[in-house]
């Protein structure tokens, strides 16, 4: 999900390679959402959808912060920050979180 130019070659950093904890927490939230969907717990699914959307935003900020403060040296971090670009997978992840967020609405009965 991140592309890094190291000398000549482009190297891909996936979410798992960047920080395994972010990867595992993301898949744990997704697994709980699938479970809530199949057992028809819509309140829990709605809550986890909100949590997933917030988590994607926090995760993108954390990956950006880690990539721009990797070495702790301002010069090296500026060079690395310019070489790293978010790939299209982050957009797909954000769109998926937005779709999940708006997928469950509260149904109100018309009387």
């Amino acid at each position: 999900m991140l592309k890094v130019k190291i000398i000549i070659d482009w190297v891909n950093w996936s979410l798992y390679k960047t920080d395994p904890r972010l990867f595992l927490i993301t898949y744990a939230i997704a697994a709980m959402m699938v479970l809530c969907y199949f057992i028809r717990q819509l309140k829990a699914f709605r809550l986890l959808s909100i949590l997933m959307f917030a988590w994607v935003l926090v995760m993108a900020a954390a990956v950006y912060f880690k990539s721009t403060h990797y070495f702790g040296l301002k010069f090296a971090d500026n060079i690395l920050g310019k070489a790293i670009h978010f790939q299209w997978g982050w957009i797909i992840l954000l769109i998926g979180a937005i779709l999940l967020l708006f997928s469950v609405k509260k149904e109100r009965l018309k009387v």
Side-chain angles (χ1 to χ4, degrees), residues 32-51:
M32 287 187 292
M33 287 177 66
V34 168
L35 179 67
C36 289
Y37 179 77
F38 281 117
I39 62 173
R40 301 287 186 206
Q41 294 294 322
L42 294 181
K43 285 185 180 182
F45 183 82
R46 190 178 308 118
L47 177 68
L48 286 170
S49 296
I50 294 168
L51 178 68

Side-chain angles (χ1 to χ4, degrees), residues 1-2 56 59 85-96:
M1 290 208 182
L2 287 176
V56 168
M59 194 170 45
H85 304 286
F86 284 98
Q87 287 184 337
W88 57 270
W90 286 97
I91 296 170
I92 300 297
L93 188 63
L94 183 63
I95 289 172

